[in-house]
Amino acid sequence: APAPQKKQRKAGSLGVIRLDYDYPPAPGDIDHPGSYAYDVYYRVVPGLTFAMCQSGKMTPEVEERFIGKVKELDALGVSGITGDCGFMMFFQALARKHTKKPVFMSALAVLPAVTCAYAPSEKVAILDAGAQCERSPLEPCFGTRRHFFSAWRAPGSPNVEQYNTAPKISQAHCFSRLI
């Protein structure tokens, strides 16, 4: 008799909440559909701007649309939901409140796992493109405790020196310890 066949599982898929911004994404970018070997479902939130993400505050109308897009992705059966902007970390709790799927609105969501690999006295550098913001997108991970945060001025970015509270470190030192 032939061996019984195992029931096959549905392949995983990713849901991506997008800013209301149109640009030509390059291969490898989160917004480029060719960057993945699995299904990716994109949902643009009308009115959700980069500046709004930086501030961590949405208008009530945009928040309602954001919640609607999270629910749409959930109904599609995606395996997890992410965002296409690191500052969407501010909206991690809001997204998670409206789905039972894993939510990682920003790469910053992995910071708690990364920091536990280091001694409390060791610093972890966060490299950004020089965004000016009123508060740190690390708050959703660690509250207002800013025991690490560093940025240097990327070519063409605004001056962030006045916002940088961490001690100065060299690029060479950072890249020698990059994970």
Side-chain angles (χ1 to χ4, degrees):
Q5 292 203 350
K6 286 185 174 181
K7 186 175 180 179
Q8 299 243 339
R9 291 180 128 176
K10 180 182 161 201
S13 61
L14 180 64
V16 179
I17 298 288
R18 291 195 61 189
L19 294 172
D20 190 359
Y21 176 70
D22 191 29
Y23 72 100
D29 185 280
I30 189 168
D31 290 327
H32 192 284
S35 298
Y36 307 94
Y38 46 85
D39 291 333
V40 179
Y41 300 93
Y42 296 96
R43 292 296 180 268
V44 173
V45 179
L48 181 60
T49 64
F50 180 74
M52 201 174 279
C53 283
Q54 271 186 304
S55 75
K57 299 173 189 149
M58 290 187 250
T59 64
E61 298 82 14
V62 172
E63 183 174 322
E64 187 177 320
R65 292 180 203 138
F66 178 89
I67 292 166
K69 297 303 178 181
V70 168
K71 289 179 178 181
E72 279 182 36
L73 291 169
D74 189 42
L76 283 171
V78 298
S79 304
I81 298 173
T82 191
D84 71 348
C85 172
F87 287 103
M88 284 192 194
M89 191 65 208
F90 286 127
F91 311 128
Q92 172 77 20
L94 177 63
R96 187 63 182 91
K97 184 177 175 182
H98 296 281
T99 181
K100 297 294 182 200
K101 301 286 169 66
V103 173
F104 31 95
M105 292 306 296
S106 164
L108 293 173
V110 302
L111 263 165
V114 170
T115 59
C116 75
Y118 294 91
S121 62
E122 293 180 297
K123 301 286 184 191
V124 176
I126 310 290
L127 311 178
D128 68 16
Q132 295 181 12
C133 53
E134 294 174 17
R135 59 188 234 239
S136 169
L138 300 174
E139 284 179 28
C141 295
F142 298 100
T144 56
R145 186 175 135 210
R146 295 178 69 166
H147 64 288
F148 60 91
F149 186 82
S150 183
W152 66 72
R153 186 168 187 251
S157 69
N159 185 351
V160 296
E161 296 306 317
Q162 60 187 326
Y163 300 98
N164 187 5
T165 59
K168 301 285 182 231
I169 54 174
S170 73
Q171 289 182 4
H173 178 75
C174 287
F175 286 125
S176 71
R177 304 183 72 181
L178 197 60
I179 56 169

